[in-house]
Amino acid sequence: MGGYLSALFCGTLFGLGLTLAQMTNPEKVLGFLDVAGHWDPSLALVMAGALTTLALMQRLARRRTAPILASSFNEPKKARIDVRLLTGAALFGIGWGLSGICPGPAIAALSYGRVEIYVFTAAMFAGMGLFQRLHRPK
């Protein structure tokens, strides 16, 4: 039960942070991605703050033998850069650049009632479902 409450708390905190940083606003994100036009560097500060926080928390976490709410750390099984990873990263980047919407902020922005957010989220879930069907473990 503690793991679910922790996930709920962290997800809520993440969503609030995205909203406060205006990362749920596609126009703001597209302004950040428009480095050749009217570039808005404010999201770079958000990313720098997030990466600094991550670095500090990882340093603290590595001092522990196990997480607080689990028996062991869940490290990635693969550390190799392969075609699937590069393809997924490219598709993610293209989608983010075209729409200004990222999966996390899309979930946080559902409450805005904007049709494009609903369309993006539906397409995102459809894509995840298609991936699951096409890439079932053998």
Side-chain angles (χ1 to χ4, degrees):
M1 180 69 166
Y4 291 118
L5 289 176
S6 174
L8 177 64
F9 173 76
C10 291
T12 302
L13 184 63
F14 181 65
L16 285 172
L18 291 172
T19 303
L20 287 173
Q22 296 185 23
M23 291 201 61
T24 57
N25 180 354
E27 291 81 23
K28 184 83 167 167
V29 174
L30 290 173
F32 170 71
L33 295 174
D34 186 13
V35 293
H38 296 4
W39 185 56
D40 180 355
S42 61
L43 294 185
L45 298 173
V46 172
M47 289 183 203
L51 289 172
T52 301
T53 303
L54 171 68
L56 291 171
M57 292 297 106
Q58 279 189 328
R59 189 169 186 170
L60 287 173
R62 290 186 199 282
R63 293 182 181 171
R64 302 184 56 84
T65 56
I68 296 170
L69 297 174
S71 59
S72 65
F73 287 104
N74 187 7
E75 298 290 330
K77 292 175 181 45
K78 291 172 62 175
R80 196 181 90 225
I81 296 175
D82 59 9
V83 174
R84 282 179 60 180
L85 177 66
L86 292 174
T87 303
L91 288 171
F92 176 87
I94 291 167
W96 191 40
L98 289 174
S99 67
I101 307 170
C102 184
I107 300 296
L110 285 173
S111 65
Y112 294 170
R114 294 173 58 179
V115 173
E116 64 269 21
I117 301 293
Y118 292 128
V119 170
F120 176 89
T121 305
M124 177 180 71
F125 281 112
M128 288 189 287
L130 180 62
F131 177 84
Q132 289 295 321
R133 290 180 77 75
L134 296 175
H135 295 282
R136 287 191 178 139
K138 296 174 184 174

